[in-house]
Amino acid sequence: MLCNVTANSNTHAKTGTTANGPCCACRLGPFMVLLLLASLGFLLAYQPRPDALPELARFAGRFHVLVLHFPIGLLTVAAMLSLGHWRPLAQLLPATPPPVVTWLGGAGALSAWLAAVLGWLLAHSGDYAGPAVQRHLYAGLACAAAALVAWALAQAWANRPESALRYRAMVASLLITNALVILAGHWGGILTHGEKYLWEAAPAWLRPLAGQPPPSPPAPRADLSGQPIYPAVIAPVLRQYCVECHNEQKAKGGLRLETYAETMEAVKAGQPRESELLKRLLLPLKDEDHMPPPGKPQPKPADLALLEWWIATGAPEKTPLRELNPPPPIKQHLGLE
């Protein structure tokens, strides 16, 4: 049923009421916020098995990376424009009408809720596991909840723009929401690029300010011939191309490749072409099962040949390299010739 506001009722237009009480939109907004908050609470409490999600739900989760950028922009703009009504910043920012701030806050809150739901589906699809995934998920749910609260407060302020208390509560909630956006984005970046990505390229003078150790000088190339093959030769290749997605923090597909025992779960000693590790690496880049995924650094042919030779020799762990008598191409790749 549409709400009719009489043309001569300026007070009703400002406060969002009709002659019979609050308009439909004013009643519907808080109810929608409560409903969406309840759905986030359900997601927080419900922990399904990966195989319990329907195929369509697992597919929908992949769209998380497409939706998550909308709330970032909308909530940032909503917070900035809301500050235009704060006297110290009134000369720098436009005094945006409250309904515009409310609309931006609502669009940001709804897109944050959708991103959180899709992220929850992705986190429970079976491709991700580990503490970093849980931290990112909880931060995303908290961000969506805070955005919904900010939207409700924005609606309350739009109904009574003269209320300083409602205005301050709305601005505070928008600022908290944006802080949670930054936190969730940071933990999402760790999932994608690893824990050291943000600071590994920082200048030497900046690293101590962030509590990071100074960059260590490159170590001289060691003589590999007498060293055990897995820790000295194979593990560095896996760290370069695979461990970013297969570690304690982010065990994609339930696979970790940080230790020899974990690596052997994807290796059939003596059978390189039957080993899941090598099979995924050798698939065409366009194949959806190819690893590493497109956009990530891809192993060089010499690295693939090294892994194939290592598996073919029985995938030893502590055998010195010289005792395995690697063929000339492998020796050349490792700098032994």
Side-chain angles (χ1 to χ4, degrees), residues 81 152 254:
L81 294 181

Side-chain angles (χ1 to χ4, degrees), residues 5-335:
V5 181
T6 59
N8 60 351
S9 181
N10 295 331
T11 302
H12 293 163
K14 289 181 181 179
T15 60
T17 61
T18 65
N20 296 323
C23 67
C24 296
C26 300
R27 293 194 300 266
L28 181 60
F31 175 76
M32 180 182 296
V33 168
L34 289 175
L35 184 63
L36 296 179
L37 284 173
S39 68
L40 294 178
F42 171 78
L43 295 181
L44 185 63
Y46 181 52
Q47 300 292 327
R49 301 189 316 273
D51 57 355
L53 288 180
E55 185 179 17
L56 183 59
R58 293 197 299 271
F59 169 68
R62 300 296 181 94
F63 288 85
H64 169 70
V65 295
L66 301 180
V67 175
L68 63 87
H69 297 91
F70 288 98
I72 295 174
L74 290 167
L75 293 171
T76 301
V77 174
M80 290 180 61
L81 294 181
S82 70
L83 293 174
H85 293 266
W86 186 35
R87 185 171 299 173
L89 296 178
Q91 301 300 322
L92 301 176
L93 297 171
T96 308
V100 175
V101 176
T102 302
W103 186 92
L104 288 170
L110 293 175
S111 58
W113 175 84
L114 180 59
V117 172
L118 296 176
W120 183 89
L121 293 174
L122 184 61
H124 292 89
S125 65
D127 291 334
Y128 297 91
V133 176
Q134 294 301 312
R135 285 199 301 265
H136 179 53
L137 174 61
Y138 293 151
L141 291 172
C143 177
L148 289 168
V149 172
W151 181 29
L153 293 173
Q155 294 177 63
W157 172 61
N159 291 336
R160 287 185 56 190
E162 72 281 0
S163 173
L165 179 61
R166 294 189 181 193
Y167 172 72
R168 291 168 185 164
M170 176 202 65
V171 171
S173 63
L174 281 172
L175 294 178
I176 292 172
T177 300
N178 278 274
L180 289 171
V181 167
I182 294 173
L183 183 64
H186 172 63
W187 280 334
I190 288 177
L191 281 176
T192 304
H193 302 292
E195 290 189 0
K196 299 181 180 179
Y197 178 78
L198 186 62
W199 294 103
E200 64 184 0
W205 62 268
L206 183 59
R207 294 171 66 93
L209 299 178
Q212 300 294 315
S216 55
R221 190 179 182 91
D223 180 15
L224 299 175
S225 61
Q227 298 190 38
I229 184 169
Y230 180 81
V233 177
I234 303 302
V237 175
L238 298 179
R239 282 196 298 269
Q240 183 176 0
Y241 299 111
C242 307
V243 172
E244 180 181 310
C245 293
H246 300 283
N247 54 63
E248 181 182 4
Q249 300 295 326
K250 179 186 176 183
K252 191 170 183 181
L255 176 65
R256 293 171 56 181
L257 296 171
E258 296 173 287
T259 67
Y260 176 78
E262 292 165 347
T263 301
M264 292 306 295
E265 294 182 7
V267 169
K268 290 187 177 181
Q271 304 179 61
R273 297 292 170 159
E274 298 300 320
S275 298
E276 194 66 25
L277 174 65
L278 191 63
K279 286 168 63 176
R280 293 294 187 97
L281 292 170
L282 293 176
L283 285 172
L285 186 61
K286 294 183 178 180
D287 194 300
E288 63 178 9
D289 292 327
H290 171 85
M291 293 295 167
K296 299 288 186 180
Q298 299 297 314
K300 301 179 179 63
D303 293 321
L304 296 174
L306 171 64
L307 291 174
E308 184 172 7
W309 167 78
W310 171 67
I311 297 173
T313 60
E317 178 185 9
K318 299 180 180 179
T319 307
L321 185 59
R322 70 164 71 94
E323 295 183 12
L324 297 172
N325 191 26
I330 301 298
K331 288 184 179 180
Q332 184 177 9
H333 175 54
L334 298 177

